[in-house]
Amino acid sequence: MEAIKALIPILLTVSLAGLVFVVGLNSGRGELLYVFRRPALLARAVLAVLVIPPIAAGLLIWALPLTPAVKAGIMLMAVAPVPPLVPGKELKMGGSKEYAYGVYVAMALLTVISVPLVFEVASALFGRPEDKVPMTKLIMTILTGVLLPLALGLLVRRFAPAIADKAAPLIYKLSMLLVLLAFLPILVAIWPALEALIGNGTLLAMAVVTVICIAAGHMLGGPERLNRATLAVAASVRHPGIAIALAGANFVGKEVQAAVLLYLLVGLVVGALYGVWLKRSAPAHGAPAAP
């Protein structure tokens, strides 16, 4: 049993890294630098993904009588951007590959700066100045879960594009399977804590924060409708690995981790509803192509 418990975090890390590896396999240098070469797009992306979510979360948890665990879970997810599922979700909505991958890479590189900064500000504002960012663990999470697999994928794309094309679908399916295998034991272990959080406005509060993030990304995405969808998804879906790393360093018990995963599930549901609305509201001649 102890061996299985020790294996789950490794399995989760490998599976999430595999999804990022697929991003590198499917993209080229020009796509990854797309946003960096366009300062206006970069500024709007920073505002939508790194600035507005923690502000929205902070105002909401300050105003509502939520439990401390729920408040912590919402705030931790708000400061944790760049989940590996984002580029795939955006492309399925018909978004531009250059813009989707460009936003993802730009936000990933800025995470090392944004997460500690926003976390420190939030800790001071909510009366927990003793909370600290586990910088070594955070950097290792970003390095092994985002930057390193991305770089490896780019190298394969650069020197063996045929292999990259063939390997990407297989690695994506395998990584998604591993994600499910890793998350299921975690959900089972924290299920009692998860059930205890549901109610008293918890789900509504999480949904409201997600809707605000989607609306911010949609409005800041520029005149292109599909770029709006891309930025909306990037702003609303957060990285549970980063949030759980912060929770493990500053909170005792499973309640905060349960709140993080509950926020993730709520965000995915609200994001799916946004995708349905986006397709139904599209002009007949400009609807996104089916994946």
Side-chain angles (χ1 to χ4, degrees):
M1 184 62 70
E2 293 300 322
I4 295 176
K5 289 182 179 179
L7 182 62
I8 289 174
I10 298 173
L11 188 63
L12 185 59
T13 300
V14 171
S15 59
L16 295 177
L19 292 172
V20 180
F21 180 58
V22 172
V23 173
L25 291 177
N26 283 328
S27 57
R29 180 183 176 187
E31 293 162 352
L32 297 180
L33 296 177
Y34 183 83
V35 170
F36 279 114
R37 291 171 174 169
R38 293 161 176 81
L41 294 183
L42 178 61
R44 290 200 294 268
V46 168
L47 188 60
V49 178
L50 303 181
V51 177
I52 290 178
I55 291 177
L59 290 174
L60 198 71
I61 65 178
W62 172 77
L64 297 179
L66 303 170
T67 66
V70 170
K71 291 183 176 183
I74 291 175
M75 198 68 222
L76 289 174
M77 285 293 274
V79 305
V82 299
L85 294 174
V86 161
K89 288 173 65 66
E90 294 166 347
L91 295 179
K92 286 183 179 180
M93 287 186 176
S96 160
K97 184 179 178 183
E98 293 85 358
Y99 185 66
Y101 287 177
V103 168
Y104 182 84
V105 173
M107 297 304 101
L109 294 176
L110 292 174
T111 296
V112 179
I113 301 172
S114 71
V115 172
L117 177 61
V118 176
F119 185 83
E120 291 289 347
V121 172
S123 297
L125 290 176
F126 287 96
R128 292 182 59 97
E130 72 279 5
D131 289 350
K132 299 298 179 184
V133 177
M135 283 302 298
T136 301
K137 189 171 184 178
L138 175 64
I139 291 173
M140 287 302 297
T141 298
I142 296 172
L143 181 64
T144 60
V146 179
L147 301 182
L148 185 58
L150 184 65
L152 290 175
L154 287 171
L155 286 174
V156 176
R157 163 59 62 182
R158 169 80 174 176
F159 296 105
I163 294 177
D165 289 335
K166 292 180 180 179
L170 178 61
I171 295 175
Y172 178 80
K173 292 177 182 178
L174 179 60
S175 297
M176 286 300 296
L177 176 61
L178 292 177
V179 167
L180 293 176
L181 291 176
F183 265 114
L184 283 177
I186 295 174
L187 285 174
V188 170
I190 67 170
W191 186 255
L194 202 61
E195 283 187 309
L197 294 178
I198 298 175
N200 299 323
T202 295
L203 296 179
L204 179 60
M206 292 177 174
V208 169
V209 174
T210 304
V211 169
I212 292 173
C213 294
I214 288 175
H218 190 88
M219 289 186 292
L220 290 168
E224 293 293 332
R225 180 175 171 278
L226 295 179
N227 282 355
R228 289 183 175 186
T230 293
L231 195 55
V233 172
S236 63
V237 184
R238 317 304 286 178
H239 199 307
I242 295 175
I244 288 175
L246 293 172
N250 296 286
F251 299 93
V252 178
K254 298 179 180 179
E255 292 80 7
V256 176
Q257 291 187 15
V260 166
L261 293 182
L262 183 60
Y263 185 101
L264 175 66
L265 295 174
V266 171
L268 292 175
V269 171
V270 175
L273 294 175
Y274 168 71
V276 171
W277 170 81
L278 195 71
K279 290 182 179 180
R280 290 184 176 179
S281 65
H285 64 277

